[in-house]
Amino acid sequence: MSTDANHRLPADWDLDKVIPGELHVPDDLSDEDIPPGIVVPYESRPPVLAKTGSAAMVVAATTGRAMGLSARYFGIGARAVAFLGWRYVRAHDLQEVIGGMQKAGDWNKVDQVRHRRWKFLGWMGGITAGLNLTGWITLVAAADMDPVGPSMAIPPTTTGALAAVAIALYGRYRANRPDIAPEAMVADQDNPESDEPFPLGVCQSPGQVEDCVSRALAYEGIGTRAVRAIGYRGWGWEIDVILQGSTPGKVNAVCDQLDAHFNIGQGGTLIEPDPAESAHIVMRLVQSDPFADMPRPAVHSPNSLSVRDAVIYGRGMDGSAMEFRLRGMSMVVIGSSGSAKTKGALRCLAEAITACRDAIAIEMDPVKDGLSEFADVMALPPIRGGKECTEKLRNLRDIASARNKVKTAKDMGDLWEPSPQDPTIYGICDEFIYLPSEAKELAIEILRIGRETGVHIIFAAQESTAEALGDAIAGAVTYRVMLASRSEDIRLVFGTGAAGLGYRPDRLRPAVDDERVYDAGKCYVMGPGYNRPIQWRWNRFDRDQIRQAVKDRKDAGRPWFDHASLAAADLVHVIRRDGGAGEAALADRLDALEHPDAGLITVLLRTFEDRGLPFLPTSEVLLPALAGAGIEGVDGGRLARVLQAHAPDVKSAREEWDGRPQVRGWHGTAVERAASGLLDPTKARLQAV
């Protein structure tokens, strides 16, 4: 009996364990060997419609999934192609290679590449259109198809289908390789299980950067305990590294190899050791110029600064200001040709000094033209040649020594107190190593005695040598600056072991021309407040800025040497400037001097100042000027005796005057020398003997 044959079963029966089937009762003719009373279960036989429906659903599901995936892959590919196409036509890849567009030459290069690429795309579009036209002609001529209809649709449809398939396949490739950077066309063929280094440019996360650095260091035999990406800084990555079994010096020794492993620019791997932890360093991986956004500086207003002010001269790669206080500052600057030693470092310093109301500067260069653009605001005309540089350094040495007496007389204290009347003096000397030996010795003396008396030296040279730049100079200056230099210069300027600590100016590249400036202006600095081996960059003033600033400062007036120091150093008759400002100040000092000859010499000084001539006749100009000032009873003989009493070796002269030859008179320098002797009574008595 089948369970389906009788549906009148008790309602409370549990049918969970009932097997659907039927009671089999074989007839006598059956050959089946089935005992009677056996229940034969029903076999599952879905209806034909059900079987057909299931197969259709499978086909539909598979087809739908394939279409969905195809649409998804096409979308991914289309977005990627659109993004890469935009980068291609805008030449973003070229901009990344050259480190951004910083100057007109970069803009021109990018513009040329853009034009070439649009031209290439135009040719490709023309070729595609030609192929479609050829296909249409073939269908019409060879296949005898109607010129209007399918023959027109088949070629472009085929081209579009091929493009769609290619885009979908490319999208499938990108979907299966999520490590591809958005700007990359293909995935980097790097095995994540290996220890081979790979370029920093493929890294898209801090974790990948850490892996990149770990592999590169391991490849060079440098063990690490920990590598942690501090962060991305716009110009590149900062990474914190704890070394294991290695030293910062070992990392520094393989920086060139690390540049290649990371595939960054030459000199792009920088290290900064931790003074408190010998195994701890910070690595900086520079992918673009840290100073690309550095604005052009503005010049300072005339007499707006003081040597007591902290003045900004540039910027560090970490964004901090590069600033120095001029008071008490001496400096040595080393940089090869093209490193912006003169037009960068020295120009910045001269711009600040000549804007100070309590400082003056003179500039010297034994072999080149130096800072000639500042000539009109320097305390003395440009000083050129080894002999003249030696003479002026001797004058500065004498002033630095004599100022001790002046400082005491004016009750200034331990250090010279700068003011517009008593300015600090700065001697700027370019190409220092070309100075004669005597001049170098004088410079060393100034370094030793000038700090307390307000006389300072700023040296610059293309290279350093043990003879020209020994410990006597390098250890005595306040600040040491190295632009792009030779590796052997590092020890002489920064000291033994400085390169291993990360000071690598030898890895900086000097400029070649105005288009290829490279690392011009970048430097490393040692001195008060500068104890980290990071890169700094000097401001860059252009010549037009300096020309206008010099004009404004000249019109506003500049301080000059204080005559107390010149008199104490016996240089009143030696150090002069055009315009008479120095002589007028000397006349004022003589006017207040209680000496019977002071009034006479004062009148003579002011007469030379008013006339602005180096020679004046005795009878026609000088004696009438004395009579007009109320000084009576003076003739040519008495005038000579007064002047020679204070400057025994001065004599009158005969020169042409008002068209007449051989007119007797006096030179202004003779009067100034007499004034110098009068200001120092001891010296005057010795000379009068």
Side-chain angles (χ1 to χ4, degrees), residues 21 30 76 95 111 167 180 235-236 262 364 387 423-424 490 528 536 588:
S30 176
I76 295 173
Q95 296 178 43
D111 191 53
I167 291 174
I180 304 178
W235 43 258
F262 299 133
M364 300 166 275
K387 182 178 180 180
T424 301
I490 301 175
W536 304 86
D588 292 339

Side-chain angles (χ1 to χ4, degrees), residues 626-675:
L626 292 172
I631 301 176
E632 302 292 342
V634 180
D635 56 14
R638 183 185 171 191
L639 176 60
R641 288 193 297 273
V642 170
L643 295 177
Q644 291 171 351
H646 304 290
D649 57 340
V650 300
K651 296 179 181 180
S652 61
R654 288 183 179 272
E655 291 191 8
E656 181 180 354
W657 178 262
D658 196 20
R660 292 176 293 139
Q662 301 298 315
V663 176
R664 184 178 293 277
W666 290 88
H667 284 97
T669 54
V671 179
E672 292 168 2
R673 293 183 63 185

Side-chain angles (χ1 to χ4, degrees), residues 109-196:
K109 292 176 185 176
V110 172
D111 191 53
Q112 292 172 4
V113 171
R114 288 175 180 173
H115 279 83
R116 286 200 301 267
R117 291 182 175 179
W118 276 112
K119 186 176 180 181
F120 171 76
L121 292 176
W123 276 104
M124 292 300 297
I127 292 172
T128 302
L131 291 175
N132 280 277
L133 179 61
T134 302
W136 174 73
I137 294 174
T138 302
L139 291 175
V140 172
D144 197 25
M145 293 184 67
D146 189 351
V148 179
S151 62
M152 298 183 65
I154 290 174
T157 302
T158 303
T159 303
L162 291 174
V165 170
I167 291 174
L169 290 174
Y170 183 61
R172 180 177 183 276
Y173 169 71
R174 293 192 73 94
N176 293 330
R177 293 300 301 268
D179 56 314
I180 304 178
E183 66 275 7
M185 294 182 62
V186 297
D188 183 68
Q189 302 300 314
D190 178 66
N191 181 5
E193 302 300 326
S194 74
D195 291 329
E196 293 290 325

